Tab-separated table of all heavy atoms in Angstrom:
chain	number	residue	atom	x	y	z
A	726	PHE	N	1.984	-29.088	-15.380
A	726	PHE	CA	1.163	-30.276	-15.111
A	726	PHE	C	1.938	-31.330	-14.322
A	726	PHE	O	1.419	-31.927	-13.393
A	726	PHE	CB	0.661	-30.863	-16.428
A	726	PHE	CG	-0.309	-31.992	-16.249
A	726	PHE	CD1	-1.620	-31.740	-15.894
A	726	PHE	CD2	0.086	-33.302	-16.436
A	726	PHE	CE1	-2.529	-32.774	-15.725
A	726	PHE	CE2	-0.813	-34.346	-16.281
A	726	PHE	CZ	-2.120	-34.082	-15.925
A	727	SER	N	3.183	-31.563	-14.706
A	727	SER	CA	3.973	-32.592	-14.011
A	727	SER	C	5.377	-32.055	-13.758
A	727	SER	O	6.293	-32.280	-14.539
A	727	SER	CB	4.026	-33.872	-14.832
A	727	SER	OG	4.539	-33.613	-16.122
A	728	HIS	N	5.516	-31.360	-12.678
A	728	HIS	CA	6.790	-30.771	-12.297
A	728	HIS	C	7.626	-31.814	-11.569
A	728	HIS	O	7.090	-32.701	-10.904
A	728	HIS	CB	6.559	-29.544	-11.410
A	728	HIS	CG	7.766	-28.684	-11.286
A	728	HIS	ND1	8.668	-28.831	-10.279
A	728	HIS	CD2	8.227	-27.683	-12.071
A	728	HIS	CE1	9.636	-27.957	-10.423
A	728	HIS	NE2	9.386	-27.234	-11.503
A	729	VAL	N	8.948	-31.699	-11.677
A	729	VAL	CA	9.835	-32.678	-11.031
A	729	VAL	C	9.683	-32.672	-9.512
A	729	VAL	O	9.942	-33.678	-8.854
A	729	VAL	CB	11.311	-32.433	-11.411
A	729	VAL	CG1	11.540	-32.722	-12.874
A	729	VAL	CG2	11.741	-31.022	-11.065
A	730	SER	N	9.232	-31.571	-8.952
A	730	SER	CA	9.053	-31.492	-7.501
A	730	SER	C	7.781	-32.207	-7.039
A	730	SER	O	7.563	-32.375	-5.850
A	730	SER	CB	9.005	-30.036	-7.043
A	730	SER	OG	7.828	-29.414	-7.518
A	731	GLY	N	6.942	-32.589	-8.004
A	731	GLY	CA	5.691	-33.258	-7.653
A	731	GLY	C	4.512	-32.307	-7.568
A	731	GLY	O	3.382	-32.739	-7.445
A	732	GLY	N	4.771	-31.025	-7.617
A	732	GLY	CA	3.689	-30.044	-7.559
A	732	GLY	C	3.010	-29.900	-8.903
A	732	GLY	O	3.538	-30.281	-9.947
A	733	ARG	N	1.814	-29.365	-8.864
A	733	ARG	CA	1.054	-29.154	-10.098
A	733	ARG	C	0.317	-27.818	-9.995
A	733	ARG	O	-0.403	-27.576	-9.043
A	733	ARG	CB	0.050	-30.275	-10.303
A	733	ARG	CG	-0.784	-30.097	-11.562
A	733	ARG	CD	-1.779	-31.202	-11.754
A	733	ARG	NE	-1.051	-32.416	-12.101
A	733	ARG	CZ	-1.620	-33.582	-12.336
A	733	ARG	NH1	-2.926	-33.704	-12.234
A	733	ARG	NH2	-0.911	-34.630	-12.654
A	734	ALA	N	0.515	-26.983	-10.993
A	734	ALA	CA	-0.205	-25.715	-11.043
A	734	ALA	C	-1.513	-25.942	-11.787
A	734	ALA	O	-1.523	-26.484	-12.888
A	734	ALA	CB	0.625	-24.656	-11.751
A	735	ALA	N	-2.596	-25.558	-11.164
A	735	ALA	CA	-3.909	-25.699	-11.795
A	735	ALA	C	-4.341	-24.356	-12.363
A	735	ALA	O	-3.757	-23.316	-12.055
A	735	ALA	CB	-4.924	-26.193	-10.772
A	736	GLY	N	-5.372	-24.372	-13.167
A	736	GLY	CA	-5.871	-23.137	-13.771
A	736	GLY	C	-6.262	-22.098	-12.738
A	736	GLY	O	-6.063	-20.907	-12.918
A	737	ARG	N	-6.796	-22.542	-11.602
A	737	ARG	CA	-7.236	-21.605	-10.576
A	737	ARG	C	-6.067	-20.834	-9.966
A	737	ARG	O	-6.240	-19.752	-9.444
A	737	ARG	CB	-8.017	-22.330	-9.488
A	737	ARG	CG	-7.161	-23.221	-8.626
A	737	ARG	CD	-7.970	-23.865	-7.503
A	737	ARG	NE	-7.182	-24.896	-6.878
A	737	ARG	CZ	-7.263	-26.183	-7.170
A	737	ARG	NH1	-8.114	-26.591	-8.073
A	737	ARG	NH2	-6.494	-27.052	-6.566
A	738	ASP	N	-4.860	-21.411	-10.022
A	738	ASP	CA	-3.707	-20.738	-9.435
A	738	ASP	C	-3.389	-19.429	-10.141
A	738	ASP	O	-2.896	-18.497	-9.509
A	738	ASP	CB	-2.485	-21.660	-9.464
A	738	ASP	CG	-2.683	-22.898	-8.610
A	738	ASP	OD1	-3.399	-22.813	-7.592
A	738	ASP	OD2	-2.138	-23.957	-8.972
A	739	CYS	N	-3.663	-19.363	-11.425
A	739	CYS	CA	-3.376	-18.143	-12.191
A	739	CYS	C	-4.625	-17.387	-12.631
A	739	CYS	O	-4.566	-16.186	-12.850
A	739	CYS	CB	-2.565	-18.487	-13.434
A	739	CYS	SG	-0.943	-19.184	-13.077
A	740	HIS	N	-5.741	-18.097	-12.765
A	740	HIS	CA	-6.911	-17.486	-13.375
A	740	HIS	C	-8.034	-17.138	-12.408
A	740	HIS	O	-9.064	-16.626	-12.824
A	740	HIS	CB	-7.454	-18.393	-14.484
A	740	HIS	CG	-6.477	-18.594	-15.595
A	740	HIS	ND1	-6.285	-17.673	-16.594
A	740	HIS	CD2	-5.610	-19.615	-15.844
A	740	HIS	CE1	-5.354	-18.109	-17.418
A	740	HIS	NE2	-4.922	-19.289	-16.986
A	741	LEU	N	-7.863	-17.428	-11.133
A	741	LEU	CA	-8.875	-17.073	-10.135
A	741	LEU	C	-8.241	-16.244	-9.032
A	741	LEU	O	-7.095	-16.480	-8.653
A	741	LEU	CB	-9.507	-18.327	-9.518
A	741	LEU	CG	-10.429	-19.134	-10.410
A	741	LEU	CD1	-10.918	-20.363	-9.674
A	741	LEU	CD2	-11.610	-18.303	-10.873
A	742	ALA	N	-9.007	-15.332	-8.511
A	742	ALA	CA	-8.528	-14.503	-7.405
A	742	ALA	C	-8.358	-15.379	-6.157
A	742	ALA	O	-9.142	-16.295	-5.928
A	742	ALA	CB	-9.522	-13.391	-7.127
A	743	PRO	N	-7.349	-15.106	-5.347
A	743	PRO	CA	-7.124	-15.941	-4.160
A	743	PRO	C	-8.141	-15.711	-3.038
A	743	PRO	O	-8.447	-16.624	-2.287
A	743	PRO	CB	-5.715	-15.562	-3.711
A	743	PRO	CG	-5.482	-14.211	-4.275
A	743	PRO	CD	-6.299	-14.121	-5.521
A	744	ALA	N	-8.679	-14.513	-2.933
A	744	ALA	CA	-9.628	-14.211	-1.859
A	744	ALA	C	-11.028	-14.691	-2.254
A	744	ALA	O	-11.453	-14.491	-3.390
A	744	ALA	CB	-9.655	-12.713	-1.585
A	745	PRO	N	-11.762	-15.310	-1.330
A	745	PRO	CA	-13.092	-15.837	-1.658
A	745	PRO	C	-14.061	-14.787	-2.206
A	745	PRO	O	-14.787	-15.049	-3.157
A	745	PRO	CB	-13.598	-16.407	-0.339
A	745	PRO	CG	-12.374	-16.699	0.449
A	745	PRO	CD	-11.372	-15.662	0.026
A	746	ARG	N	-14.059	-13.595	-1.622
A	746	ARG	CA	-14.996	-12.566	-2.089
A	746	ARG	C	-14.672	-12.141	-3.514
A	746	ARG	O	-15.558	-12.039	-4.364
A	746	ARG	CB	-14.958	-11.371	-1.155
A	746	ARG	CG	-15.958	-10.310	-1.559
A	746	ARG	CD	-16.078	-9.228	-0.507
A	746	ARG	NE	-17.115	-8.302	-0.877
A	746	ARG	CZ	-16.973	-7.004	-0.880
A	746	ARG	NH1	-15.849	-6.456	-0.474
A	746	ARG	NH2	-17.952	-6.223	-1.238
A	747	ALA	N	-13.394	-11.919	-3.780
A	747	ALA	CA	-12.978	-11.528	-5.128
A	747	ALA	C	-13.248	-12.663	-6.115
A	747	ALA	O	-13.606	-12.425	-7.270
A	747	ALA	CB	-11.502	-11.159	-5.130
A	748	GLN	N	-13.099	-13.891	-5.660
A	748	GLN	CA	-13.365	-15.044	-6.512
A	748	GLN	C	-14.845	-15.108	-6.887
A	748	GLN	O	-15.199	-15.365	-8.035
A	748	GLN	CB	-12.937	-16.322	-5.796
A	748	GLN	CG	-12.865	-17.525	-6.693
A	748	GLN	CD	-12.405	-18.741	-5.944
A	748	GLN	OE1	-13.177	-19.318	-5.197
A	748	GLN	NE2	-11.163	-19.125	-6.143
Side-chain angles (χ1 to χ4, degrees):
F726 186 77
S727 56
H728 196 268
V729 293
S730 68
R733 179 180 290 180
R737 70 177 169 263
D738 296 329
C739 297
H740 298 280
L741 289 178
R746 183 171 185 229
Q748 194 178 76

